[in-house]
Amino acid sequence: MSSSEFSIIEEFFTFRSDKGYCPILGIGDDCAVLDVPSDKQLAVSTDTLVENVHFLPGSDPELLGHKVLAVNLSDLAAMGATPAWASLAITLPAIDKAWLSSFTKGFFALAKEHSLQLIGGDTTRGPLSITITIMGLLPKQQRLTRSGAKLGDSVYVSGSIGRAGLGLKKAQLDISDIADKDLSAYLKPCPQVALGKELLSVATSCIDISDGLSADLSHILKASGVGARVWDEQLPVAASVRRYMEELGDNLWPYSSGDDYELCFTMPEQVSAHSQDKLLAYGVTKIGVIEEEKGLKIETKSGELLTLDKGYDHFDA
Ligand code: ADP
Ligand code: MG
């Protein structure tokens, strides 16, 4: 490693915080060393964002720093894990200090919110790409998975579906008003970490919605060996998204639009009123029920049943 690389790491990526789980050894050696508390287990996930694939060229670096961490935190949320550590591999076309300063501002603001420690990474030159490996902690024997949905469970989602998808359309049209709620859902997603932790003791399955509700709920259904019926009328969809669907003439658009980073989960009907109230405070909506017959069916207002299972597929032709 050259001294300029090291000074870049020193200047931009070294962030010390006493909050959260301090590593035994952090940035600066060949490896970080971590101590997992004896009553906890480790949840690990990696996500990459590539320019032109996952974000538009020339994206605001501060928002990008937020988003790359948010999509990784969203995976921990889907498991019910508490964020602890992250490693950041970044490939940069050039050393642009103003860009790095904004990027790390967005990244560390969100890291701080979740008491997350950056414990290492890699810095290389090439087309802009960012990979984070995130680590969280779970109480021993507990985790939310995709495979536990049971017959008769209710299906829920958090937040509003399709908003980030519409935000992407707006970003592609060069609309840059971050006060626009659709645009901010796309550019500055809010990972549902607190909700995920709340769900740990009550949900039977959970996934975060990154590739579209129909694709991600279908992952739960396949892993659990069940099917589901979703009542279209119950789907939480913002007025702006409804207007967009009318323009498109596509009533099912929100089911396949990606990037929401909300949670989709299943829960038995018999959950205590106390737990139900707590969850409602997170803005969750019951949208359907788990059934025996495999596949995902959407029941329209008029009672018609439609079959859906596709979302965004990175390798689709
Ligand atoms: P090596 O040559 O042994 O791979 P590096 O030069 O890649 O070491 O990194 C030196 C130290 O800086 C390591 O502790 C590494 O984890 C850390 N590091 C490198 N890049 C980043 C980054 N982008 N963010 C955080 N830590 C980083
Ligand atoms: Mg290295």
Side-chain angles (χ1 to χ4, degrees), residues 6-28:
F6 197 76
S7 66
I8 291 294
I9 295 164
E10 272 278 294
E11 184 173 350
F12 294 103
F13 295 106
T14 313
F15 167 78
R16 296 183 210 289
S17 161
D18 298 334
K19 276 180 74 194
Y21 294 89
C22 287
I24 292 178
L25 205 56
I27 292 173

Side-chain angles (χ1 to χ4, degrees), residues 262-310:
E262 295 293 346
L263 295 181
C264 175
F265 60 95
T266 58
M267 200 166 72
E269 274 296 289
Q270 311 78 345
V271 165
S272 73
H274 177 66
S275 292
Q276 297 244 12
D277 286 350
K278 266 185 152 175
L279 293 179
L280 288 176
Y282 282 98
V284 305
T285 310
K286 191 199 284 192
I287 59 163
V289 64
I290 295 295
E291 297 182 332
E292 195 166 6
E293 196 180 296
K294 303 275 165 66
L296 172 58
K297 292 184 214 69
I298 312 295
E299 186 177 323
T300 66
K301 200 172 174 178
S302 59
E304 200 184 347
L305 279 185
L306 308 166
T307 307
L308 259 189
D309 60 8
K310 276 194 76 86

Side-chain angles (χ1 to χ4, degrees), residues 1-2 5-6 9 12-14 26-32 86-90 108 118-124:
M1 177 180 65
S2 73
E5 260 177 73
F6 197 76
I9 295 164
F12 294 103
F13 295 106
T14 313
I27 292 173
D29 219 305
D30 290 311
C31 286
S87 159
L88 167 68
I90 188 161
F108 286 123
L118 183 66
I119 49 101
D122 203 16
T123 308
T124 52

Side-chain angles (χ1 to χ4, degrees), residues 26-74:
I27 292 173
D29 219 305
D30 290 311
C31 286
V33 178
L34 309 168
D35 196 8
V36 178
S38 61
D39 59 338
K40 300 279 197 297
Q41 53 186 340
L42 193 61
V44 184
S45 173
T46 299
D47 252 320
T48 296
L49 297 195
V50 177
E51 189 173 45
N52 289 313
V53 179
H54 302 96
F55 58 92
L56 300 172
S59 288
D60 178 297
E62 186 174 341
L63 291 169
L64 190 59
H66 172 100
K67 182 157 180 175
V68 67
L69 183 53
V71 305
N72 277 272
L73 284 166
S74 180

